[in-house]
């Protein structure tokens, strides 16, 4: 006899099986497949801690420490875990107001209730020591250690750069970074960010109900050790950099010094400058706003971004181009005809060497005319277009009119301007301009502008007798002494070496021979070769000087640019350069009276130097 309830029992079994499957499925969804619930569960007992690597140190060319790290602490919060908090006591311990607390907590909740974010960043080790023993009372908060940059010497701020918190653009560009991370924002800190930053590690810790760490998760199986960043060994001579900044105090302008044989930048000064330690720690934001709003623009690197008329230093390049084209010879002379262009009083130059020494404006008016109007076309406008095109190609080979590929952020480098035919066609119309329209270029005025690092590079080209190696700031990095081979290549100008020998002789005469325009740069026992420039300006003219030394086997090439300096290149830029060369080559400066005067004086004021020089006429 069959059981009449058998079919019902099967139905009941099926119902129980389906219900059980539903429960199992739901549990699987909640605990395995649903990341939200899995994350909530995990965060109740586990803490993911980012292990920040120590950022690489930065040294000068002699191994002197420029930038190192100091430990600081970020107070992290997981909003969901904050419970039973005595807010008043918490604020009292951290010396913040209740409104500060509410603002920070709302920001953290907005970011994520379940993930950790920074509540207070960069707590000093002294403040952390006071707070450490009270942490157990504040559930949902914990400390994450990181390092802060410390600058051993208050120098080279615009070169070294600074580190700041990542913004949204940084996060979008590189998935390596997370909210609250820090990144190089300018200078070497930015251009060598991937070398300096290292590799982050992580640590997963078990925590108890009181938010205390009780041990590593699965004995640290999923932990990783941070890898320290590589150290940078720069080309900077810290002592020369310091001295140059002292000499440029109370002034606006810049100094760039290069080792000609390698292209290594020995010093790069932009004045006014600032102490790089101002942009470190919790005061960085306030100080950044202060510096950024300063009308003197201390954060601007004039050595790379300043675009100035070169003045008479440009006559060196003009001479080399004209000689190489064959439109003049080493013995070509021109009368100092002031009806063509104004000039100071001196005898007429009979040779290129004399023209460089005396910096004769009418001489270079004639030289440039021969370069621009070569007689290739009967039509003077077409002939001038041809000449300008040839001239510009030479100037580009000298590194003008383009960004020199120095290893600093490209956004912070200017090109200067070497005008082409299209430039003048836009201004004057096609075949409506000729040499007579653009002759101011002959003496480094007009539409020509250059960047100070290009000026120093010109001095290096003459020092090397016709080539340069791209200026750069880092010699090598890391324990393996990694070098960038791009900064070991020669860039040839294509001009014959013997013509540069003429330029070197002329520049020697500028400093050492009667009638030269830079006698104030002279240092006993040093064969300094230089060229002055006085760049016209709406206010006081700018003072310009380039030089290299010694004449044979040069060790240093330099450009000094002092803005709005009364008296011209020979009065300001030249003596400052002479002091710097003396310091670098001799190790000390013996002319203490000259040193004191140029450290203290301001060229924008009528100070003792102006009375001493009295009626100095403008000289090239």
């Amino acid at each position: 006899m069959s059981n009449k309830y058998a079919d019902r029992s099967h139905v009941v079994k099926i119902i129980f099986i389906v219900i059980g499957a539903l429960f199992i499925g739901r549990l699987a969804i909640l605990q395995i497949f649903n990341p939200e619930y899995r994350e909530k569960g995990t965060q109740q007992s586990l803490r993911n801690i980012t292990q920040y690597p120590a950022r690489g140190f930065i040294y000068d060319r002699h191994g002197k420490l420029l930038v190192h790290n100091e430990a600081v602490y970020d107070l992290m919060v997981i909003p969901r875990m904050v419970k039973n908090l005595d807010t008043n006591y918490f604020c009292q311990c951290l010396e913040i107001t209740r409104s500060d607390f509410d603002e920070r907590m709302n920001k953290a909740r907005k970011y994520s209730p379940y993930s950790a974010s920074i509540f207070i960043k960069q707590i000093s080790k002294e403040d952390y020591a006071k707070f450490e023993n009270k942490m157990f009372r504040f559930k949902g908060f914990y400390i994450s250690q990181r390092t802060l940059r410390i600058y051993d010497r208050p120098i080279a701020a615009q070169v070294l750069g600074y580190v700041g918190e990542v913004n949204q653009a940084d996060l979008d560009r590189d998935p390596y970074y997370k909210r609250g991370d820090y990144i190089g924002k300018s200078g070497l800190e930015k251009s060598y960010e991937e070398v300096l930053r290292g590799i982050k590690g992580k640590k997963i810790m078990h925590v108890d109900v009181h938010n205390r760490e009780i041990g590593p998760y699965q004995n640290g199986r999923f932990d990783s050790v941070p890898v320290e960043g590589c150290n940078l060994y720069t080309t900077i001579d810290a002592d020369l950099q310091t001295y140059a900044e002292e000499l440029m105090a109370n002034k606006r302008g810049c100094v760039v010094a290069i080792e000609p044989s390698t292209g290594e930048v020995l010093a790069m000064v932009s004045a006014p400058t600032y102490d790089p330690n101002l942009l470190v720690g919790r005061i960085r934001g306030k100080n950044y706003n202060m510096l950024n709003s300063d009308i003197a623009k201390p954060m601007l690197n004039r050595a790379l971004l300043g675009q100035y008329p070169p003045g008479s230093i440009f006559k060196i390049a003009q001479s080399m181009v004209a000689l190489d084209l064959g439109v003049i010879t080493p013995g070509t002379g021109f009368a100092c005809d002031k009806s063509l262009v104004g000039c100071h009083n001196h005898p007429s130059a009979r040779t290129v060497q004399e023209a460089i020494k005396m910096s004769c404006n009418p001489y270079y008016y004639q030289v440039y005319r021969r370069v621009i109007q070569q007689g290739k076309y009967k039509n003077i406008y077409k002939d001038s277009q041809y000449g300008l095109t040839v001239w510009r190609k030479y100037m580009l080979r000298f590194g003008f009119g383009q960004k020199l590929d120095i290893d600093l952020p490209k956004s912070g480098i200017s090109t200067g301007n070497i005008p082409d035919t299209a430039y003048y066609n836009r201004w004057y119309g096609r075949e409506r301009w000729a040499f007579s329209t653009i002759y101011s270029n002959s003496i480094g005025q007009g539409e020509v502008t250059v960047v100070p690092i290009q000026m120093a590079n010109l001095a290096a080209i003459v020092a090397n007798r016709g080539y340069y190696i791209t200026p750069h700031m880092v010699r090598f990095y890391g324990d393996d002494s990694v070098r960038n081979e791009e900064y070991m290549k020669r860039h040839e100008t294509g001009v014959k070496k013997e013509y540069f020998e003429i330029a070197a002789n002329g520049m020697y005469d500028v400093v050492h021979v009667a009638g030269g325009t830079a006698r104030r740069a002279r240092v006993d026992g040093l064969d300094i070769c230089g060229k002055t420039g006085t760049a016209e300006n709406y206010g006081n003219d700018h003072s310009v000087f380039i030089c290299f030394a010694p004449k044979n086997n040069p060790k240093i090439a330099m450009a000094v640019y002092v803005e709005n300096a009364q008296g011209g290149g020979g009065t300001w830029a030249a003596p400052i350069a002479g002091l710097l060369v003396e310091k670098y080559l001799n190790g000390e400066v013996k002319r203490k009276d000259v040193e004191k005067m140029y450290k203290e004086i301001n060229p924008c004021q009528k100070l003792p130097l102006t009375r001493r020089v009295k009626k100095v006429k403008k000289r090239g």
Side-chain angles (χ1 to χ4, degrees), residues 480-545:
D480 297 329
S481 301
V482 178
R483 296 177 184 268
N484 189 337
E485 293 185 1
E486 288 298 315
Y487 297 123
M488 301 172 70
K489 296 178 181 178
R490 287 171 52 144
H491 302 275
E492 302 286 348
T493 61
V495 176
K496 294 178 181 178
K497 183 178 180 179
E498 54 261 36
Y499 296 148
F500 282 102
E501 202 64 53
I502 294 170
N505 291 334
M507 292 172 71
Y508 178 88
D509 293 346
V510 166
V511 179
H512 297 276
V513 176
T517 58
R519 299 299 301 282
R520 290 174 181 269
R522 187 172 178 272
V523 179
D524 290 341
L526 296 180
D527 293 339
I528 299 175
C529 303
K531 181 72 190 78
T532 55
T534 302
E536 293 183 2
N537 183 51
Y538 291 113
N540 290 331
D541 294 338
H542 302 315
S543 177
V544 197
F545 187 67

Side-chain angles (χ1 to χ4, degrees), residues 237-475:
D237 184 300
D239 293 338
L240 184 66
Q241 178 79 24
T242 301
Y243 189 61
E245 292 190 12
E246 291 172 355
L247 288 174
M248 291 300 291
N250 308 314
K251 306 168 186 68
R252 293 189 188 185
C254 54
V255 172
V256 181
I258 298 172
E259 185 177 68
S261 61
T262 62
E264 294 178 358
V265 176
L266 303 171
M268 181 179 288
V269 176
S270 179
T273 186
Y274 63 93
D275 184 343
N277 288 297
L278 289 173
L279 297 182
V280 171
R282 295 165 67 178
I283 60 172
R284 190 190 77 84
K286 178 182 177 182
N287 289 337
Y288 177 87
N289 291 333
M290 175 191 70
L291 292 169
N292 198 43
S293 61
D294 190 332
I295 61 172
K297 299 186 182 303
M299 298 184 71
L300 173 70
N301 190 343
R302 287 167 163 83
L304 297 179
L305 278 171
Q307 299 188 76
Y308 302 97
S312 292
I313 66 170
F314 205 58
K315 294 169 182 175
I316 298 292
Q318 300 282 39
S319 300
M320 299 301 96
V321 174
L323 285 168
D324 201 62
L325 286 172
V327 298
I328 63 171
T329 69
T332 296
F334 293 110
C336 184
D337 184 354
K338 295 179 185 177
S339 66
L340 299 175
V341 60
C343 197
H344 55 281
N345 294 322
H346 63 82
S348 294
R350 297 164 296 180
T351 64
V352 173
Q353 184 172 329
E354 284 189 355
I356 292 172
K357 181 191 80 169
M358 294 184 286
S359 194
C360 179
N361 289 341
Y363 187 98
Y364 284 95
Y365 176 98
Q366 299 282 24
V367 168
Y368 190 56
R369 180 165 64 180
R370 290 194 179 186
V371 171
I372 299 301
Q373 295 180 186
Q374 298 182 34
K376 299 292 184 181
Y377 296 90
K378 292 182 179 180
N379 183 308
I380 191 174
Y381 301 111
K382 286 185 177 180
D383 198 40
S384 294
Q385 292 213 4
Y386 171 82
L388 184 73
T389 300
V390 172
W391 169 81
R392 187 173 188 274
K393 287 180 179 178
Y394 270 99
M395 291 303 170
L396 292 178
R397 296 210 298 262
F398 276 80
F400 297 122
Q402 59 189 307
K403 289 185 179 183
L404 287 176
D405 194 23
I406 190 170
D407 50 347
L408 286 169
K410 300 301 178 282
S411 59
I413 305 172
S414 295
T415 62
N417 183 44
I418 300 296
D420 57 9
T421 56
Y423 181 93
Y424 287 119
N425 286 342
R426 287 193 301 269
W427 272 92
Y428 301 108
R430 190 173 182 84
E431 294 193 8
R432 297 188 64 182
W433 59 271
F435 165 77
S436 60
T437 317
I438 63 172
Y439 72 87
S440 292
N441 293 340
S442 64
I443 56 173
Q445 297 291 160
E447 291 71 44
V448 169
T449 60
V450 300
V451 184
I453 193 168
Q454 296 171 344
M455 303 178 192
N457 197 51
L458 174 60
I461 289 171
V462 182
N464 291 332
R465 307 307 196 262
Y467 72 89
Y468 71 92
I469 296 172
T470 302
H472 52 284
M473 304 298 309
V474 172
R475 304 183 85 185

Side-chain angles (χ1 to χ4, degrees), residues 26 28 44 95 155 158 167 174 192 198 201 206 269 450 478 562 576 602:
R26 182 58 177 165
Q44 295 297 320
E95 298 180 355
I155 61 171
Q158 298 96 338
N167 55 32
D174 191 340
Y192 284 89
H206 275 298
V269 176
V450 300
V562 185
I576 289 173
N602 184 333

Side-chain angles (χ1 to χ4, degrees), residues 27-46 114:
L27 287 173
I29 290 171
L30 291 176
Q31 298 184 24
I32 301 175
F33 299 108
N34 189 315
E36 178 182 354
Y37 285 94
R38 187 169 67 252
E39 182 181 4
K40 287 180 181 179
T42 300
Q43 290 178 344
Q44 295 297 320
S45 60
L46 299 180
Y114 304 103

